[in-house]
């Protein structure tokens, strides 16, 4: 029988009596961080106590944005997906340091319960699912199984090598 795994949140080991836990045990000015995987994408969550509210930051690394020379069609398609998603969602797609990122920052009224925190994160990420599915047509999600050295850009979108010129 495998060893049981424990999740520790705020110094308390799960399973917790969720009804008895009125608020997360975060000191004023404290920080609470965790990450999880959704659609083979790792999301990092950071909650920080502010003066009169909580500040929540959600960031997921969706994959590398292909260079125009690598695949102009894939780059154009991903830019269209980002534009449509940003018009429709509270969460925002953006390119940061050559990576396609999905993220947002929101304020949460206190007290912050585990249920409120997780439901807020879900409300920010789940509506992006159709757009993540579209991105996956171009890019293999970062946490998806792959062979070592396999690029994230799907093969059908890679620029084909030009044939060698023939001499006459």
């Amino acid at each position: 029988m495998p060893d049981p795994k424990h999740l520790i949140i705020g110094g308390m080991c799960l399973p917790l009596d969720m009804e008895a836990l009125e608020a997360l045990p975060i000191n004023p000015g404290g920080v609470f961080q965790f990450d999880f995987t959704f659609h083979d994408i790792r999301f990092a969550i950071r909650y920080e106590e502010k003066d009169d509210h909580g500040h929540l930051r959600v960031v997921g690394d969706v994959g590398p944005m292909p260079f125009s020379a690598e695949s102009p069609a894939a780059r154009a398609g991903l830019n269209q997906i980002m534009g449509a998603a940003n018009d429709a969602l509270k969460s925002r797609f953006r390119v940061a340091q050559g990576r396609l990122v999905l993220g947002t920052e929101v304020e949460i009224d206190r007290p912050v319960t585990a249920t409120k925190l997780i439901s807020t994160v879900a409300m920010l990420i789940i509506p992006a699912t159709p757009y993540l599915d579209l991105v996956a047509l171009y890019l293999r999600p970062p946490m998806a199984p792959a062979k070592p050295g396999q690029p994230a850009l799907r093969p059908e979108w890679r620029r084909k090598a030009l044939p060698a010129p023939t001499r006459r």
Side-chain angles (χ1 to χ4, degrees):
M1 183 168 167
D3 293 332
K5 304 294 185 227
H6 298 282
L7 175 64
I8 299 174
I9 297 178
M12 301 175 74
C13 186
L14 292 180
L16 298 173
D17 180 2
M18 294 304 285
E19 293 177 10
L21 187 62
E22 288 186 25
L24 290 173
I26 301 172
N27 297 327
V31 174
F32 179 79
Q33 300 180 103
F34 65 97
D35 62 11
F36 64 93
T37 302
F38 176 72
H39 263 21
D40 291 321
I41 298 167
R42 181 167 306 213
F43 286 88
I45 312 303
R46 179 182 172 96
Y47 171 79
E48 186 175 357
E49 286 282 313
K50 298 288 185 175
D51 294 327
D52 58 345
H53 57 272
H55 183 80
L56 180 68
R57 182 172 190 214
V58 179
V59 179
D61 181 355
V62 179
M65 181 64 141
F67 293 105
S68 294
E70 182 181 16
S71 178
R75 188 173 179 94
L78 289 168
N79 278 323
Q80 286 184 328
I81 293 167
M82 282 191 333
N86 290 345
D87 289 343
L89 301 175
K90 291 180 183 175
S91 299
R92 308 290 291 175
F93 281 94
R94 60 185 166 81
V95 177
Q97 299 176 350
R99 307 287 299 177
L100 185 58
V101 176
L102 173 63
T104 192
E105 295 185 28
V106 296
E107 305 299 329
I108 300 179
D109 293 330
R110 291 192 304 200
V112 175
T113 63
T115 302
K116 186 187 290 187
L117 183 66
I118 299 302
S119 63
T120 301
V121 170
M123 289 187 331
L124 296 170
I125 294 175
I126 290 174
T129 302
Y131 300 100
L132 294 173
D133 290 341
L134 289 172
V135 168
L137 295 175
Y138 294 97
L139 300 174
R140 176 184 40 80
M143 305 296 290
K147 294 177 183 173
Q150 182 181 11
L153 184 63
R154 302 244 184 234
E156 60 270 23
W157 294 105
R158 289 188 213 130
R159 180 173 265 189
K160 308 292 188 261
L162 297 174
T166 57
R167 292 189 176 185
R168 292 185 183 206

